[in-house]
Amino acid sequence: MLEEITKLTGQNNGTTSIVLVGVHGDERCGIEALKKILPTLEIQRGTVLFGYGNPRAMEVNKRYTEANLNRMFNRDEQLSEKEKESYEYQRAQFLKSYLIKADVLLDIHASSIPNSSAFAICETNAKDIVKFFPMRLVVSGFDKVEPGATDYYMNSIGKVGICLECGSINDPQSAKIGEESIIAFLKARGHMKNNLAPQKQSYVQMFKKYFAKTDTFTLSKPFENFEVLEKNQVIGIDGNKKIKAPKRCLILFAHNGTKAGDEVFLLGEEKASPV
Ligand SMILES: [Zn+2]
């Protein structure tokens, strides 16, 4: 049941959208939000597909089982043989067969960083949709610094991909934001009557992602999402090398690393407009 995609169609013709939750199986906010709204949801116009991204990881409440599903949307030649043998790779092929049927994707996530607030990840092609989302921050640049996610895949085939970070994994508020955002998305896309006013939002552009070069990357301290770094501030120690901020910037998803190649942080900077 969790494996399948649910399709709702309105009485009026319209475009097609897709909503995914649980692409990371331990990010429960989207899963809870969808379970709550789906039984009574009425679509007035067009078609909306709803799916659970990674059912096997959801069952064991883990981010993934064999490979990070949200990197399996890279081109095949960018994936290792081991990744291509994974359950998540197979699942990505299944999900792609639905993603290509939709014009716009909303993919719901949560952050393992404590006190994380909600933000949308998208490129400028999504600006007329995300302006209705109940959050202050819109972040772009991921397609370049972190390709391979569902939203990257949609953008790469000329469609629109939006990833939503609803807040911290263990914050009950995250499920509420997930629920409000799915409804805002359906309204902004014209599947339901849109009675929402655009939000006042600010914008961040990511410019760098750092992968650990050794098996021990240790942060100099725990960093909150979007914490401001000063130029040359030490972010962490990679083996025995100090890794410093190249300029005044913002840090995102900062984690310790335990093997070379681990994704340990991203850097971005504020910008004035979504363009
Ligand atoms: Zn996630």
Side-chain angles (χ1 to χ4, degrees):
M1 176 67 189
L2 287 181
E3 307 277 334
E4 297 309 318
I5 302 291
T6 301
K7 178 176 167 179
L8 297 184
T9 302
Q11 292 200 331
N12 303 298
N13 287 336
T15 58
T16 300
S17 300
I18 183 164
V19 176
L20 292 180
V21 301
V23 163
H24 290 135
D26 59 345
E27 297 170 9
R28 313 300 298 181
C29 57
I31 301 163
E32 286 172 29
L34 191 55
K35 282 186 176 159
K36 190 168 168 199
I37 61 177
L38 208 46
T40 56
L41 190 64
E42 282 186 30
I43 298 300
Q44 291 152 2
R45 187 177 292 278
T47 299
V48 188
L49 305 166
F50 295 91
Y52 296 97
N54 193 336
R56 276 199 201 169
M58 281 166 53
E59 271 167 31
V60 291
N61 201 31
K62 288 203 164 132
R63 186 168 171 82
Y64 55 80
T65 63
E66 296 170 313
N68 183 352
L69 175 58
N70 220 23
R71 303 291 177 268
M72 293 298 109
F73 295 88
N74 265 318
R75 291 195 311 277
D76 274 3
E77 57 268 30
Q78 293 166 290
L79 299 172
S80 69
E81 288 308 311
K82 193 165 167 245
E83 285 171 329
K84 281 188 269 192
E85 286 164 12
S86 67
Y87 161 73
E88 276 81 5
Y89 177 79
Q90 289 303 326
R91 186 67 184 166
Q93 309 319 307
F94 171 82
L95 294 173
K96 277 184 192 174
S97 70
Y98 288 91
L99 291 171
I100 57 170
K101 292 181 182 154
D103 307 296
V104 184
L105 158 77
L106 176 67
D107 184 7
I108 308 266
H109 289 254
S111 175
S112 56
I113 309 276
N115 307 316
S116 182
S117 50
F119 59 96
I121 294 172
C122 61
E123 303 303 326
T124 51
N125 58 3
K127 66 179 171 24
D128 291 334
I129 301 168
V130 296
K131 68 184 181 189
F132 294 108
F133 284 16
M135 57 204 53
R136 198 185 58 79
L137 195 58
V138 178
V139 182
S140 60
F142 270 82
D143 280 5
K144 270 205 191 103
V145 301
E146 190 179 276
T150 55
D151 45 318
Y152 159 84
Y153 176 72
M154 287 298 272
N155 293 332
S156 75
I157 58 171
K159 300 180 176 224
V160 179
I162 304 166
C163 167
L164 200 69
E165 288 285 345
C166 293
S168 298
I169 278 185
N170 295 318
D171 185 350
Q173 183 68 14
S174 301
K176 196 164 169 288
I177 289 172
E179 204 181 312
E180 284 173 17
S181 302
I182 293 172
I183 299 297
F185 173 71
L186 297 176
K187 288 180 173 177
R189 288 281 297 136
H191 298 298
M192 298 165 79
K193 188 172 170 355
N194 190 359
N195 55 353
L196 301 170
Q199 302 277 321
K200 198 168 166 23
Q201 291 169 325
S202 47
Y203 309 97
V204 167
Q205 170 101 39
M206 305 317 291
F207 64 85
K208 185 180 174 64
K209 175 168 168 171
Y210 187 81
F211 297 88
K213 300 210 170 28
T214 71
D215 291 340
T216 46
F217 176 90
T218 310
L219 292 168
S220 61
K221 69 178 202 66
F223 290 99
E224 295 200 343
N225 282 344
F226 304 107
E227 191 169 329
V228 176
L229 304 179
E230 297 303 330
K231 185 177 178 180
N232 291 328
Q233 183 175 340
V234 177
I235 299 168
I237 313 284
D238 195 351
N240 48 25
K241 191 175 176 222
K242 284 183 183 166
I243 306 303
K244 297 176 183 177
K247 56 184 169 181
R248 188 182 153 89
C249 58
L250 308 167
I251 191 165
L252 185 62
F253 300 149
H255 294 97
N256 291 323
T258 54
K259 61 178 193 304
D262 276 357
E263 304 172 349
V264 287
F265 65 83
L266 294 129
L267 299 176
E269 54 198 340
E270 287 182 66
K271 56 178 193 161
S273 77
V275 182

